[in-house]
Amino acid sequence: MTLVVDASLIAGLLLPDEAGIDPRALESEDLVAPWLFWAEIRNILIVNERRGRLPEGFAEQMLDAVEALGIQLDSRPSEAAVLRLSRRHRLTIYDALYLELALRLGAPLGSHDKALRHAARAEGVPLAG
């Protein structure tokens, strides 16, 4: 089964003091995310390193773990749908990309972001995580 994952869900797996989901829950899923996931997850890790929440060099180890998840990156969003979703739910374009992908694939969405989860429910997208 396909599952759209956002950076907040994956960060919850990686960061030691986050309440994340059990990683085994993702093992049987085909994970997919919009192309911007690549930058978002790296930004989360480096910002947390700068703030002293993570030791230096930990980001590289965590990126190995992210790679092992086999998340496929999608680069074909519908521009009109992303803009419509962003306007309708007052989402950032970044969050609207995740929602658009879940809608386009007919897949559940895994996120810890409250606004994105609320918009997904409003659009009838099943939630995971």
Side-chain angles (χ1 to χ4, degrees), residues 58-82:
F58 192 71
E60 288 83 354
Q61 294 172 22
M62 292 299 94
L63 290 174
D64 287 343
V66 171
E67 285 296 317
L69 292 172
I71 300 169
Q72 297 297 307
L73 300 180
D74 178 87
S75 61
R76 299 179 317 261
S78 163
E79 185 173 325
V82 170

Side-chain angles (χ1 to χ4, degrees), residues 40-55:
E40 279 191 313
I41 199 67
R42 283 158 178 79
N43 190 63
I44 288 169
L45 292 170
I46 202 71
V47 165
N48 280 283
E49 182 181 290
R50 286 181 191 148
R51 292 179 179 163
R53 189 174 175 202
L54 299 175

Side-chain angles (χ1 to χ4, degrees), residues 9-52:
L9 184 82
I10 301 305
L13 293 173
L14 302 175
L15 299 174
D17 56 350
E18 290 283 326
I21 64 168
D22 184 343
R24 291 173 291 184
L26 301 178
E27 288 177 358
S28 63
E29 304 291 342
D30 293 324
L31 306 178
V32 65
W35 54 270
L36 96 129
F37 173 87
W38 187 95
E40 279 191 313
I41 199 67
R42 283 158 178 79
N43 190 63
I44 288 169
L45 292 170
I46 202 71
V47 165
N48 280 283
E49 182 181 290
R50 286 181 191 148
R51 292 179 179 163

Side-chain angles (χ1 to χ4, degrees), residues 47-127:
V47 165
N48 280 283
E49 182 181 290
R50 286 181 191 148
R51 292 179 179 163
R53 189 174 175 202
L54 299 175
E56 190 170 327
F58 192 71
E60 288 83 354
Q61 294 172 22
M62 292 299 94
L63 290 174
D64 287 343
V66 171
E67 285 296 317
L69 292 172
I71 300 169
Q72 297 297 307
L73 300 180
D74 178 87
S75 61
R76 299 179 317 261
S78 163
E79 185 173 325
V82 170
L83 292 171
R84 178 178 43 78
L85 291 165
S86 179
R87 288 181 181 121
R88 179 183 300 155
H89 300 290
R90 302 189 58 79
L91 294 172
T92 64
I93 291 296
Y94 312 118
D95 286 347
L97 279 166
Y98 288 100
L99 183 54
E100 183 274 339
L101 181 57
L103 284 164
R104 181 164 32 96
L105 298 179
L109 174 67
S111 174
H112 291 310
D113 183 281
K114 288 181 184 179
L116 181 52
R117 289 177 65 87
H118 179 77
R121 278 197 275 311
E123 292 291 328
V125 172
L127 295 170

